Amino acid sequence: MRKLCPNLDKEDALETILEVPIPEEMFNSMGNNVALRCQNMQQWMKAQTSDKWSSPVILGRINELRFILYHIGAPLIPLQVHIDKISRPVRDNSIQTSTAKYIVQQYIAATGGQTAISSIQSMCVIGHARIGATVFHLGDQTVKGKNTDEAGGFVLWQKNPDLWCLEFVVSGCKVFSGSNGKVSWRQSSNQPSVTTGSPRPLRRFLQGLDPRATANLFIDAVCIGEKVINHEDCFILKLETSQTTLDAQSDPKYEIIHHTLWGYFSQRSGLLLQFEDSRMLRLKNSVDNDDGDGVFWETSAESFIEDYRYVDGINIAHSGKTSVRVFRYGEQSANHQREIEETWKIDEVGFNIWGLDTDFFTPPKEEVETLEY
């Protein structure tokens, strides 16, 4: 990952620290030597103005990247995870519920134990990813578009209980999102307006990065069976979002019909090997006269989690692959389906960051839209 850029004005001056580290391959593609690459990168950063997005070609490509980043780079899960005592009583519950609590306890032990996990007060993660749309279906036809496979980097900050901030940069497009505990928000480089919603955690935390949040989330799940994942027998834990939560996250313009989460925990190691979530949203035809029809968006994500390694006594996943399918259908809508993939790798993880103040998680001042995704 490229973190520094030489000072082009003064050779003996300190190097410039990049706001978001970028993969070396992305940096190398900007020129045939370091000086030219840094110069082109500075020009690229200065070009992030509203005039740049006026070109239909550039606008279309950036909107494509923004769509991909929203769905695979910075998606939220429907439930607010409360950091409290992970252990819950096992007795006086159904077999499925009691089994799920026992599986979560095994997961806690596999990721370092409750004492080590509870000692985490903050986190910083630096990683890189390669993302792109793999298939686009329009009706019954498969449309092969231009290859959108792109490399990028991200920085993720977290401070308990539910303060987090993510910066994700991919080929000229940046998504900046976070939560200050009261509201979650998101903003992209070509969209100065800010979308906001209720405070919710980032899906990326549940891809092997935050054991405590994962344990607190699935402690109220039920065990629905077993499945083999990558040649390992796994327990399946399922968590349904309550109707009260769905209604609270809905809006006069849209309705969230369902949102379900699944976790696949290895019977051998106790670790989380796969995470899935599926959601259906209906855009209403009219706020005043809703006839039950409209356009439906169905989104399903599947993350395979690998390469667990200990960092300061905490067992953290360092790589994985996520596949997302977005399906749109309904009246007055051309049915289409998008399939997106991301392969990601964690380069650095640090816990209990000194000086990380709550002001760091303050959202941008402009709040004009409601967060739908």
Side-chain angles (χ1 to χ4, degrees):
M1 295 288 283
R2 170 67 59 166
K3 301 178 183 178
L4 302 175
C5 184
N7 193 309
L8 302 180
D9 299 324
K10 296 181 180 180
E11 294 183 359
D12 58 344
L14 295 175
E15 293 182 309
T16 302
I17 300 177
L18 298 180
E19 184 177 344
V20 178
I22 62 175
E24 287 290 344
E25 59 179 305
M26 180 178 172
F27 181 75
N28 293 337
S29 66
M30 296 183 176
N32 53 18
N33 59 68
V34 174
L36 181 59
R37 292 165 188 164
C38 291
Q39 184 177 5
N40 289 338
M41 185 169 60
Q42 288 180 3
Q43 292 176 351
W44 167 71
M45 293 175 67
K46 292 179 181 179
Q48 308 302 303
T49 62
S50 58
D51 295 338
K52 178 180 178 180
W53 317 118
S54 59
S55 169
V57 175
I58 297 296
L59 180 61
R61 179 175 177 275
I62 295 299
N63 281 338
E64 168 77 2
L65 285 172
R66 184 165 63 91
F67 175 85
I68 293 174
L69 279 174
Y70 270 21
H71 283 85
I72 206 164
L76 307 179
I77 66 168
L79 302 174
Q80 185 176 5
V81 178
H82 298 282
I83 306 300
D84 52 15
K85 293 182 179 180
I86 301 175
S87 60
R88 303 279 180 86
V90 176
R91 292 183 296 179
D92 301 327
N93 289 292
S94 65
I95 295 296
Q96 294 86 351
T97 303
S98 299
T99 302
K101 288 178 170 54
Y102 175 79
I103 294 170
V104 170
Q105 294 302 321
Q106 298 304 306
Y107 169 74
I108 294 170
T111 51
Q114 186 164 338
T115 300
I117 293 174
S118 299
S119 68
I120 301 175
Q121 300 302 318
S122 61
M123 180 194 325
C124 178
V125 178
I126 298 176
H128 64 274
R130 179 171 289 278
I131 65 176
T134 57
V135 181
F136 178 80
H137 301 279
L138 182 61
D140 297 330
Q141 298 180 341
T142 300
V143 180
K144 295 184 179 180
K146 185 178 179 181
N147 184 12
T148 57
D149 190 33
E150 305 281 357
F154 60 88
V155 177
L156 176 60
W157 301 85
Q158 183 197 41
K159 185 178 177 67
N160 287 333
D162 51 0
L163 306 176
W164 59 268
C165 180
L166 170 72
E167 294 181 82
F168 204 136
V169 174
V170 174
S171 300
C173 186
K174 175 180 177 180
V175 168
F176 184 41
S177 60
S179 170
N180 65 351
K182 299 179 181 179
V183 64
S184 57
W185 46 272
R186 183 166 57 197
Q187 184 181 43
S188 64
S189 54
N190 70 319
Q191 188 181 35
S193 60
V194 180
T195 53
T196 63
S198 57
R200 287 174 284 164
L202 197 67
R203 184 200 296 152
R204 196 168 295 275
F205 285 125
L206 305 174
Q207 295 173 183
L209 284 180
D210 190 342
R212 180 155 61 159
T214 303
N216 274 282
L217 178 69
F218 283 105
I219 197 70
D220 294 320
V222 295
C223 182
I224 62 172
E226 303 177 12
K227 184 178 180 180
V228 177
I229 304 293
N230 292 333
H231 308 292
E232 287 203 42
D233 294 329
C234 294
F235 294 112
I236 306 173
L237 300 192
K238 181 180 179 181
L239 187 64
E240 289 278 6
T241 306
S242 68
Q243 188 60 50
T244 302
T245 301
L246 295 177
D247 292 340
Q249 294 178 5
S250 297
D251 185 82
K253 297 180 181 179
Y254 64 89
E255 174 192 7
I256 302 177
I257 299 176
H258 75 78
H259 202 150
T260 309
L261 309 174
W262 294 267
Y264 298 81
F265 294 82
S266 170
Q267 297 181 16
R268 178 185 61 84
S269 65
L271 296 171
L272 178 68
L273 300 186
Q274 184 175 332
F275 177 79
E276 294 181 15
D277 72 287
S278 175
R279 187 197 67 163
M280 178 180 289
L281 178 146
R282 180 175 68 91
L283 299 179
K284 300 178 181 179
N285 288 327
S286 173
V287 176
D288 299 326
N289 184 22
D290 182 23
D291 54 8
D293 295 324
V295 178
F296 293 84
W297 286 86
E298 192 170 352
T299 305
S300 59
E302 182 180 71
S303 296
F304 292 94
I305 304 165
E306 302 173 333
D307 193 15
Y308 276 89
R309 286 183 253 160
Y310 279 93
V311 178
D312 297 336
I314 309 298
N315 206 0
I316 299 296
H318 282 69
S319 65
K321 181 178 180 180
T322 299
S323 300
V324 175
R325 181 179 290 108
V326 182
F327 185 32
R328 188 185 75 175
Y329 59 94
E331 293 187 358
Q332 300 178 348
S333 170
N335 296 351
H336 74 253
Q337 179 176 298
R338 297 293 305 276
E339 296 178 15
I340 311 167
E341 284 190 355
E342 174 200 42
T343 55
W344 49 270
K345 185 174 183 180
I346 303 302
D347 295 282
E348 294 184 29
V349 178
F351 296 116
N352 298 328
I353 311 301
W354 290 97
L356 190 59
D357 192 81
T358 55
D359 292 339
F360 184 80
F361 304 95
T362 302
K365 294 182 179 179
E366 186 181 7
E367 300 179 4
V368 297
E369 298 182 19
T370 302
L371 189 62
E372 298 183 4
Y373 298 99

